[in-house]
Amino acid sequence: MVRGGYEYGTSPRKLEPDVQKKKQPQKKKLKIVEDLPKQDVKISKQQKKRQTKMTLLVMAIFAVLLTISYRNSQINEKFDHVQNLKKELSSIQKENEQLEVSIQNSVNYNTIEKLAKEKLGMQKLTNKQTVYVALPKKDYVEPASEEVVMEDEKNWLEQIIDKIFHK
């Protein structure tokens, strides 16, 4: 019920079978392509030089980057070593300070006196134990009795001249 290209009504139209059947595409037979002999591609000398230059450039860049990487790893190792040495130094300095404090405490006069009395059985001197020694006022240093003459050493030319003129 199609009139003038418009369809009236609410029901959908029914599909009419196509009068013409569509031709199904025929399967094409694949042609086997024979391997053609590879053509020798001629590379000019300039292209070979460019290729070798590029290869060498890439290898040089790789070597430079490898060297930089290696140096950075060495720097990191040295930095870690320095940091470990600094930590060790600070711990040794702390231990040194503690030892100095303990030495200061042990060198105390009162501590030494106490140890001498308790462990060694020592006592303070009394006036009876003091002995005075009298020394004569004479000076025990003797003056030089001989005169010391210092001669300059002369080279062989001066010695010959002295022998000739001072006979």
Side-chain angles (χ1 to χ4, degrees):
M1 303 213 217
V2 177
R3 297 182 196 153
Y6 292 106
E7 189 172 314
Y8 296 101
T10 57
S11 63
R13 71 182 175 122
K14 292 183 182 178
L15 294 175
E16 295 178 16
D18 288 339
V19 178
Q20 298 177 350
K21 288 188 178 180
K22 293 183 179 177
K23 293 183 181 178
Q24 292 181 355
Q26 293 179 355
K27 293 183 180 178
K28 295 182 180 179
K29 291 184 181 179
L30 296 175
K31 292 183 181 178
I32 298 176
V33 178
E34 294 179 18
D35 287 337
L36 298 175
K38 293 184 179 180
Q39 296 177 354
D40 291 334
V41 179
K42 293 184 179 179
I43 300 174
S44 69
K45 290 183 180 180
Q46 289 178 341
Q47 285 181 329
K48 284 184 182 180
K49 286 183 182 178
R50 285 183 191 159
Q51 285 179 344
T52 54
K53 283 182 182 179
M54 285 299 272
T55 304
L56 291 175
L57 179 66
V58 168
M59 289 173 60
I61 290 172
F62 179 74
V64 167
L65 291 176
L66 185 65
T67 304
I68 291 172
S69 173
Y70 179 72
R71 289 297 297 155
N72 282 341
S73 68
Q74 282 186 333
I75 290 170
N76 286 338
E77 287 177 7
K78 296 294 182 185
F79 182 76
D80 291 341
H81 183 67
V82 167
Q83 293 302 320
N84 290 335
L85 289 177
K86 284 183 180 180
K87 287 179 185 177
E88 186 178 339
L89 175 66
S90 66
S91 67
I92 290 173
Q93 285 176 338
K94 286 179 185 178
E95 183 181 350
N96 193 19
E97 289 173 2
Q98 290 172 351
L99 290 173
E100 284 180 7
V101 168
S102 67
I103 289 171
Q104 292 287 337
N105 291 337
S106 66
V107 175
N108 187 359
Y109 178 73
N110 293 332
T111 309
I112 294 172
E113 185 178 359
K114 181 179 176 183
L115 288 174
K117 285 181 181 178
E118 291 176 0
K119 289 189 177 180
L120 301 175
M122 299 177 104
Q123 297 176 355
K124 282 192 173 186
L125 288 177
T126 61
N127 288 337
K128 294 179 182 176
Q129 294 172 324
T130 306
V131 177
Y132 294 100
V133 179
L135 296 175
K137 301 281 182 182
K138 182 181 175 186
D139 192 7
Y140 288 101
V141 179
E142 295 181 15
S145 59
E146 299 176 4
E147 186 176 326
V148 178
V149 177
M150 307 242 339
E151 290 187 27
D152 293 330
E153 291 188 28
K154 298 177 181 179
N155 63 19
W156 61 275
L157 182 62
E158 291 176 345
Q159 289 176 356
I160 292 173
I161 294 172
D162 284 344
K163 285 182 181 180
I164 293 173
F165 293 112
H166 297 290
K167 282 189 176 181

